[in-house]
């Protein structure tokens, strides 16, 4: 998974499993979605099975009955369209702040992907209309609160289904300051006819883990860049603190052969290659015996986070080739109730990632703190201030990082261990996966800011090292990062407004610019 790979301009559904990159291309970069004719034919075939059941005198869940705890209530034929409308309207019960456009688009794509599987029993026109809405850049207004992650992300998906019916509110384009407009108006402008939902279709539109899976895909994409950037930041700190890279030797990693640890250590060796600031053992000369844990154990911590992300990516890959609905049309034509909508597999890894993200930020902040303390920074001025006493340097930047880390520790408390029964005890165990995804997004943003502050400190430290002509020169990779920072952030001088410098550093981290200049210098991608 290459986070810096160019986004696809179109994504074809139904013939092959979606990838994380496909989700990002549609959610963030407005790639068009295409549905081959053969896929629509498969959808039509399963629809015929549902229509046969609709005329059966026996009750069939989701086709001729109510929902959830009301599944025992048989609905007469003449009221079934109203049943579908009522389902969507009642389940579109979200409240709170609006969810980000990219999350809603990811959710929509993933629901379309399941509809296109032919396992849900909807008509082809439902799939085609949903695709048309997505391709037209129409984004339903979805709210922060409403999902328990079981049966899937009911409320967020219901707000999207409401748009298909020409009801509710949507946004057009990407301007977050533009007021929402009625869905009926947006559909009319785009030439899309609202749908009147038939049997089973309302349930098929809302019964999935698409919101939490969409947030997992976006998180995995962002973490690919941040995990590599964390390796760069740690290496830069080791160097600017005149630590040693001996502990990153490949043979030491093989003694504890976790793949993530080996990759992180290899990245740090590559970044530090050619550095004259690093302390290396020399015969007959006393050098520092050991660096602090935040420096020496960086590959172990970063590697554990990387392995956690790899596990989460495996879960995402399975989900991306899954058809989540209840009831579902099986390959041999049966219509069966099931529990595949439960969000536990996704919720767990969302929570695992929040723990890993908090620890990555925690060790990064500890490295930042070492730069500011004269008893630990090996010859640098207090707080990296140009005129210590008169100036405070990066004193409060460390406060900012510490505050973020404290927040990330709170966000690491798992959502998936909680369950609040609902639907008159029919849905008596829920995953809370949607909320696990919401807090992970906030955590990833925090990690990018903490890493930015660490790099702000290490690049500033290099300026002071350069004033000591006997100190040696940095590695080419860290020099490239320093040069990048100096295009946006001034060299240390008397204290100035610090927040813009932190914002600039954050942008260089979050956009992948730091990683890009390092890989360009190395002539190869990091591991």
């Amino acid at each position: 998974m290459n986070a810096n790979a160019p986004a696809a301009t179109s994504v074809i559904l139904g013939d092959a499993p979606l990838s994380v990159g496909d989700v990002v291309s549609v959610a963030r970069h407005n790639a068009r979605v295409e549905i081959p004719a053969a896929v629509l034919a498969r959808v039509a075939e399963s629809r015929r099975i549902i229509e046969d059941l609709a005329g059966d005198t026996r009750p069939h869940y989701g086709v001729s009955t109510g929902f959830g705890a009301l599944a025992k209530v048989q609905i007469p034929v003449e009221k079934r369209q109203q049943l579908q409308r009522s389902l969507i309207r009642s389940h579109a019960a979200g409240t709170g702040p609006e969810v980000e456009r990219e999350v809603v688009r990811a959710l929509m794509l993933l629901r379309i992907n399941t509809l296109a599987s032919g396992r849900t029993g909807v008509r082809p026109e439902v799939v085609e209309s949903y695709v048309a809405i997505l391709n037209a850049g129409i984004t339903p207004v979805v709210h922060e609160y409403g999902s328990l992650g079981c049966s899937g992300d009911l409320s967020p998906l219901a707000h999207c289904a409401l748009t298909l019916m020409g009801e509710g509110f949507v946004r057009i384009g990407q301007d977050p300051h533009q007021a929402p407009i009625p869905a009926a108006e947006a559909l009319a402008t785009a030439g899309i006819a609202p749908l009147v939902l038939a049997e089973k279709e309302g349930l098929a539109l809302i019964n999935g883990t698409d919101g939490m899976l969409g947030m997992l895909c976006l998180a995995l994409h962002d973490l690919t860049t941040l995990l590599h950037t964390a390796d760069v930041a740690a290496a830069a700190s080791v160097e600017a603190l005149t630590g040693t890279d001996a502990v990153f030797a490949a043979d030491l990693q093989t003694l504890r052969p976790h793949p993530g640890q080996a990759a992180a250590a290899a990245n740090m060796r590559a970044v530090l290659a050619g550095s004259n600031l690093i302390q290396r053992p020399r015969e007959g000369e006393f050098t520092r015996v050991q660096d602090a844990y935040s420096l020496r154990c960086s590959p172990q911590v970063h590697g554990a986070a990387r392995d956690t992300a790899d596990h989460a990516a495996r879960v995402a890959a399975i989900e991306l080739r899954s058809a989540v609905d209840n009831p579902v049309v099986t390959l041999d034509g049966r219509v069966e109730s099931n529990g595949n909508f439960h969000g536990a597999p996704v919720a767990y890894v969302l929570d695992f990632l929040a723990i890993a993200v908090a620890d990555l930020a925690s060790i990064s902040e500890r490295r930042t703190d070492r730069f500011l303390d004269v008893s630990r920074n090996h010859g640098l001025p207090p707080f990296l201030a140009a005129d210590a006493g008169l100036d405070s340097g990066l004193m409060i930047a460390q406060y900012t990082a510490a505050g973020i880390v404290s927040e990330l520790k709170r966000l690491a408390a798992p959502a998936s261990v909680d369950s609040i029964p609902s639907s008159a005890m029919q849905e008596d165990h829920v995953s809370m996966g949607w909320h696990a995804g919401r807090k992970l997004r906030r955590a990833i943003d925090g990690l990018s800011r903490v890493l930015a502050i660490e790099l702000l400190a290490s690049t500033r430290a290099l300026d002071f090292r350069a004033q000591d002509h006997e100190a040696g020169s940095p590695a080419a990779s860290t020099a490239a990062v320093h040069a990048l920072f100096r295009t946006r952030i001034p060299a240390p001088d008397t204290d100035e407004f610090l927040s813009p410098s932190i914002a600039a550093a954050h942008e260089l981290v979050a956009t992948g610019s730091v990683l890009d200049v390092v890989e360009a210098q190395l002539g190869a991608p990091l591991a």
Side-chain angles (χ1 to χ4, degrees), residues 17-31:
L18 285 174
S19 68
V20 167
D22 292 332
V23 176
V24 174
S25 291
V26 173
R28 284 190 181 157
H29 305 296
N30 304 309

Side-chain angles (χ1 to χ4, degrees), residues 352-373:
F352 295 166
L353 288 174
I355 292 170
V357 164
D359 203 34
L360 276 171
S362 179
I363 196 171
S364 171
E365 183 277 330
R366 287 294 81 201
R367 293 190 295 258
T368 296
D369 185 65
R370 299 190 73 81
F371 279 109
L372 310 184
D373 182 354

Side-chain angles (χ1 to χ4, degrees), residues 412-477:
S416 58
V417 298
D418 187 32
S419 174
I420 299 180
S422 58
S423 191
M425 293 300 288
Q426 176 74 1
E427 298 172 8
D428 58 353
H429 185 275
V430 297
S431 76
M432 297 296 179
W434 171 268
H435 294 284
R438 298 306 298 158
K439 67 187 182 65
L440 178 59
R441 285 180 63 81
R442 183 173 175 85
I444 287 174
D445 177 73
L447 171 62
S448 66
R449 296 176 191 278
V450 172
L451 292 173
I453 291 171
E454 181 183 359
L455 285 164
L456 190 66
S458 66
T459 52
R460 190 178 178 100
L462 284 185
D463 288 305
F464 290 113
R465 296 292 184 203
Q467 295 172 13
D468 179 359
H469 300 296
E470 297 182 0
S473 58
S477 294

